[in-house]
Amino acid sequence: MAKQPGTVSQSISKEDIYLFHEGNFFHSYRVFGAHLTKEGSREGVRFTVWAPNAVSVGVAMDINQWDGSASPLELVPESGGIWSGFIEGVQYGDLYKYAIESVTGERLLKADPYGVYAEVRPNTASRVGSVEGYEWSDQAWRRKRRAPYAKPMNVYEMQLGTWRQKEDGTFYTYRELADLLIPYVKEMGYTHLEFMPLTEYPYDLSWGYQATGYFAPTSRYGEAKDLMYLIDRCHQADIGVLLDWVPGHFAKDAHGLRQFDGTPQYEYADPMLAEKPGWGTLSFDFGKPEVQSFLISSALYWMDLFHFDGLRIDAVTSMLRLDFEKKPHQWRPNENGGVENNDAIEFLRKLNRIIFSYYPNSIMAAEESSAWPNVTAPAHEGGLGFNYKWNMGWMNDTLKYVETAFDERPSLHNLLTFPIVYAHSENFVLPLSHDEVVHGKKSLLDKTPGSYEEKFAGLRLLLGYQMTHPGKKLLFMGGEFGQFIEWKDEEQLDWLLLNYEAHRQMKDYTAALNHFYLGEKALWEIDHNWEGYDWISASDAGQSVITFMRKGKKSGDTLYILINFRPIAYEDYRIGVDKPGTYKEVFNSDETRFGGGGLLNEQPIKAEKEAWHDREYNVPVKLPALGIVILKKSGRSSETLKTAVEPAAAKPAPKRKAAVKKKNDAKSVVLPETNEINETNESGTKRKGKTK
């Protein structure tokens, strides 16, 4: 069980100073920053800040007419540049900045790096805040929380300010969102929410990915205790909550961390290491112990005080690679001649070790877009120590495929089959994230080709393919009901689309699919090794069909999955099965209530004694155009389409992944040498279904 934060110290101790400069002061937020306190008989605030190269530091506030020299801080002896002081009469909500005189004589006004409360943009001052005293009611959730390796994990990614807005275009508060968001998430069947960054940031259109306040929840939606209330309510409803957290870089805004004391303090001194030219930001100096104390304290802060269940670490590749999005003259190799940022590698390992030592069942997910090995292997075994990685390869291959015209899909069949080769090399999350529905990339619905009806069928197919592929799931808001245009990052989602039948049906489909996922152990119980997956046929490129099995720990939980990526229906599409008996359809994306054409397998299907796909028996299946059909051996049919289940226990801690399957295990992935589209199925049976 995690250690809980104690009472905030009134002043910094020699032990704190030592740990801070060793990079091991993991709860430095308890001392640094502005803390309401009482010293002797006086009430006020103790301010503590690290500014090692400053000539002087004061606190500029309304009460001293923003003259920091009137409220100076003292340099703590033998502290390595830590300044501290108690100022009487300062109250909750008061505005302040640190007034810093640099070694060059420059006078700077800086927001508090450890501030817990900030002005609403465009204003940039810190406010005296408090993160103590909230009465939590999520004890039951925290007692039963487990990492979801062998449990369902279906994440709804969202940006709080654009999910819904009030009629006048203003934001809902954290507290108001609790009443709107939680019933919706429960209705839709998601297990987790993921909030895009909430660490205070100056520019709306950065979406929070260029932060200035690593301990301040953005004031756009309220105060710290309001965010605690939202998370508390989510936990009481059995919804996990994750936070996008950005340790890779920070904004250059003058009031922020850039040259905080007039010199490079949080960033690398070497511009080739510090500059992120593609984003106009600065990299943290990951090798500096004080920066490690700062960042690891920030990560723990959100778990300690706000009860987040985990973090999604943004832009990990940009941390790992010295050459990330840089031209040849903008970077230099490391001491061994390589592209690896060894400081960042060791920092990430340390971060994950510390997080899991306090919160062994937390989720630490890396957005890592390269083929960096062992991202989710334990740090002590040479991995980076995360327990999940976003599967960017699957996402890129899948979206490239679904955007392709139907008659060109056979030539790209490998985009459906190759991801299985490495599907168990890491613990993966399959993301259909915000990055894929902005900047001209189109919405998920609009990516799909074809007619109006075919677009919706294609989106149902895409979500069904994601749900049945090995790995945990993530969908960005709006995809669940078929947002037609890409995400508008200043306006709310187009909820008005639910006035149209096709979008209502799309929402109903997503909810049914999500609840089906929750109830079917085969879709999540053995997610991270080969025993949970088996191809039936990977080679029907001509008809753009893949068929496979997903398996749970019990044989009766096995699902037989057929996915047809062409707009042609088949009345008799046969798949091989190992056992005789009857098979029942338990899910079909072509149901009329979802907007489909209604080509269903309404009666149990009896297996025929004839070898198919190297199996002893086969079953003939009605396979709808752009449809997914899921079968189960009779006697074990699913009754879960309308019943949500809660996320439950899983094994506690990052684990090493299974090795990639040997060549002879993956031989069915080999594709035909020709891309010719045949007018028959794999068996030679003529298709009998109509073209949709």
Side-chain angles (χ1 to χ4, degrees):
M1 183 169 176
K3 299 175 183 177
Q4 295 303 305
T7 304
V8 172
S9 301
Q10 291 189 336
S11 60
I12 192 163
S13 69
K14 289 183 179 179
E15 181 183 6
D16 293 338
I17 293 169
Y18 173 79
L19 291 173
F20 180 69
H21 292 302
E22 287 292 305
N24 295 325
F25 194 10
F26 302 137
H27 294 89
S28 57
Y29 65 82
R30 298 179 189 171
V31 172
F32 287 93
H35 295 285
L36 287 159
T37 189
K38 185 175 182 180
E39 297 195 6
S41 61
R42 301 182 303 160
E43 292 186 354
V45 170
R46 174 160 287 277
F47 295 90
T48 304
V49 64
W50 175 55
N53 297 306
V55 173
S56 66
V57 178
V59 183
M61 300 172 285
D62 286 332
I63 62 174
N64 60 24
Q65 290 73 52
W66 290 86
D67 178 9
S69 64
S71 302
L73 301 183
E74 296 179 357
L75 181 61
V76 178
E78 300 179 353
S79 68
I82 297 172
W83 302 75
S84 189
F86 175 81
I87 302 177
E88 188 176 3
V90 182
Q91 299 178 348
Y92 182 90
D94 284 355
L95 300 172
Y96 72 98
K97 282 186 177 179
Y98 291 115
I100 299 173
E101 181 185 356
S102 76
V103 291
T104 63
E106 184 180 9
R107 297 186 179 275
L108 308 169
L109 281 177
K110 291 287 190 176
D112 190 346
Y114 282 87
V116 299
Y117 190 14
E119 272 193 293
V120 178
R121 83 282 180 256
N123 298 322
T124 59
S126 299
R127 286 185 179 274
V128 175
S130 174
V131 290
E132 298 179 346
Y134 180 81
E135 302 251 345
W136 288 88
S137 299
D138 66 344
Q139 293 81 3
W141 166 266
R142 285 165 72 82
R143 280 195 301 270
K144 71 182 179 182
R145 185 178 64 177
R146 298 292 184 273
Y149 301 121
K151 292 296 176 182
M153 179 176 163
N154 188 10
V155 182
Y156 187 62
E157 184 196 23
M158 60 178 302
Q159 205 274 337
L160 288 183
T162 55
W163 182 67
R164 282 189 184 275
Q165 295 175 356
K166 297 179 181 179
E167 289 186 6
D168 62 359
T170 58
F171 299 137
Y172 284 100
T173 67
Y174 295 118
R175 287 180 179 267
E176 290 169 336
L177 281 166
D179 292 329
L180 297 172
L181 180 59
I182 293 169
Y184 183 78
V185 172
K186 294 300 290 184
E187 173 196 355
M188 295 303 297
Y190 293 101
T191 65
H192 290 73
L193 285 165
E194 181 178 312
F195 297 149
M196 289 169 66
L198 296 177
T199 47
E200 192 59 81
Y201 55 101
Y203 183 48
D204 284 5
L205 297 187
S206 80
W207 313 331
Y209 291 100
Q210 297 182 14
T212 51
Y214 276 75
F215 295 84
T218 179
S219 296
R220 288 165 174 80
Y221 318 119
E223 301 180 23
K225 292 187 177 89
D226 300 325
L227 176 56
M228 293 175 187
Y229 174 83
L230 172 58
I231 296 169
D232 195 6
R233 287 277 306 277
C234 287
H235 285 171
Q236 292 174 53
D238 288 325
I239 300 168
V241 189
L242 310 176
L243 177 66
D244 247 352
W245 186 67
V246 190
H249 60 130
F250 58 87
K252 287 185 176 181
D253 294 64
H255 70 283
L257 299 176
R258 177 178 177 269
Q259 296 206 342
F260 184 78
D261 63 2
T263 65
Q265 182 177 328
Y266 288 89
E267 68 269 35
Y268 284 104
D270 181 350
M272 282 198 171
L273 295 172
E275 293 288 342
K276 301 264 188 175
W279 296 330
T281 56
L282 293 171
S283 171
F284 283 101
D285 183 346
F286 302 111
K288 188 176 288 186
E290 297 85 356
V291 171
Q292 295 174 17
S293 289
F294 174 82
L295 286 173
I296 294 174
S297 291
S298 172
L300 283 171
Y301 170 81
W302 297 103
M303 295 183 179
D304 286 342
L305 296 180
F306 292 84
H307 291 198
F308 277 101
D309 299 288
L311 304 173
R312 177 264 196 183
I313 313 302
D314 179 66
V316 169
T317 310
S318 77
M319 300 170 66
L320 295 172
R321 294 186 63 97
L322 297 169
D323 63 343
F324 180 80
E325 293 189 355
K326 290 185 177 182
K327 297 176 182 178
H329 67 279
Q330 294 175 325
W331 71 282
R332 70 173 65 88
N334 63 28
E335 60 273 19
N336 299 315
V339 301
E340 301 86 1
N341 185 334
N342 293 316
D343 289 344
I345 293 169
E346 291 308 313
F347 165 74
L348 289 171
R349 287 171 175 164
K350 181 175 182 177
L351 169 71
N352 286 315
R353 281 197 305 267
I354 299 306
I355 293 294
F356 287 118
S357 72
Y358 283 92
Y359 297 99
N361 295 319
S362 61
I363 293 166
M364 293 293 285
E367 187 215 14
E368 203 289 301
S369 56
S370 73
W372 196 277
N374 298 318
V375 172
T376 56
H380 67 270
E381 296 181 8
L384 292 182
F386 293 95
N387 59 351
Y388 279 97
K389 174 183 174 176
W390 276 24
N391 192 338
M392 311 297 280
W394 173 88
M395 179 192 72
N396 292 328
D397 285 351
T398 297
L399 293 181
K400 180 178 179 181
Y401 184 88
V402 301
E403 291 180 89
T404 300
F406 301 129
D407 60 354
E408 297 175 12
R409 287 182 173 182
S411 65
L412 297 178
H413 197 70
N414 64 300
L415 297 179
L416 299 176
T417 57
F418 179 68
I420 290 296
V421 174
Y422 63 87
H424 306 103
S425 61
E426 305 272 8
N427 287 344
F428 280 124
V429 174
L430 308 180
L432 294 171
S433 72
H434 67 277
D435 274 330
E436 305 315 308
V437 293
V438 289
H439 301 323
K441 294 181 181 179
K442 300 182 179 180
S443 69
L444 293 181
L445 180 66
D446 203 20
K447 289 178 191 289
T448 58
S451 66
Y452 181 82
E453 293 78 13
E454 287 170 341
K455 282 183 175 293
F456 281 95
L459 181 54
R460 293 195 301 272
L461 187 65
L462 170 61
L463 298 186
Y465 173 57
Q466 178 197 35
M467 201 61 73
T468 54
H469 193 284
K472 306 310 181 187
K473 326 298 175 187
L474 179 142
L475 179 67
F476 183 58
M477 63 182 194
E480 75 274 16
F481 62 80
Q483 176 93 0
F484 226 125
I485 61 176
E486 63 181 28
W487 175 41
K488 298 172 291 185
D489 49 16
E490 294 183 281
E491 301 176 30
Q492 70 170 356
L493 297 179
D494 290 333
W495 296 103
L496 58 85
L497 291 175
L498 293 178
N499 293 326
Y500 298 89
E501 184 179 33
H503 294 275
R504 289 197 306 273
Q505 291 171 329
M506 187 68 227
K507 176 176 171 284
D508 291 344
Y509 170 80
T510 305
L513 180 67
N514 289 348
H515 286 295
F516 178 79
Y517 167 77
L518 291 174
E520 292 295 341
K521 293 182 178 180
L523 295 178
W524 39 259
E525 196 171 48
I526 312 178
D527 240 349
H528 304 306
N529 61 63
W530 278 101
E531 286 71 23
Y533 188 95
D534 195 6
W535 280 113
I536 297 173
S537 172
S539 59
D540 191 3
Q543 296 179 118
S544 301
V545 175
I546 57 172
T547 54
F548 55 93
M549 289 183 281
R550 290 299 309 276
K551 301 176 181 180
K553 293 179 181 178
K554 297 179 180 178
S555 62
D557 292 329
T558 298
L559 298 176
Y560 301 80
I561 298 161
L562 301 86
I563 308 182
N564 177 12
F565 288 91
R566 290 190 70 199
I568 298 171
Y570 302 99
E571 289 282 349
D572 184 352
Y573 191 97
R574 293 177 181 261
I575 62 169
V577 294
D578 293 318
K579 297 178 181 179
T582 57
Y583 292 75
K584 182 178 180 180
E585 180 179 279
V586 292
F587 195 88
N588 190 321
S589 65
D590 202 46
E591 287 191 51
T592 55
R593 67 185 173 118
F594 302 145
L599 183 61
L600 310 178
N601 296 275
E602 297 176 301
Q603 301 300 319
I605 307 168
K606 186 175 181 180
E608 299 179 9
K609 174 77 172 167
E610 182 181 356
W612 220 273
H613 296 138
D614 297 323
R615 301 177 190 273
E616 192 173 352
Y617 301 89
N618 74 82
V619 291
V621 182
K622 295 178 182 177
L623 183 57
L626 297 173
I628 177 170
V629 171
I630 304 177
L631 306 177
K632 213 173 191 183
K633 199 164 183 307
S634 279
R636 301 277 185 167
S637 62
S638 171
E639 300 294 340
T640 59
L641 287 184
K642 298 180 181 178
T643 305
V645 297
E646 63 186 15
K651 35 181 147 167
K655 55 170 187 147
R656 182 169 291 283
K657 307 308 146 322
V660 175
K661 204 172 184 186
K662 296 178 181 178
K663 287 184 179 179
N664 60 341
D665 293 327
K667 60 180 183 245
S668 60
V669 176
V670 177
L671 302 179
E673 293 183 0
T674 177
N675 293 324
E676 180 182 355
I677 301 175
N678 298 314
E679 292 301 307
T680 59
N681 67 16
E682 290 180 275
S683 67
T685 306
K686 293 285 186 180
R687 63 170 181 260
K688 300 178 183 177
K690 61 184 180 180
T691 302
K692 195 170 178 183

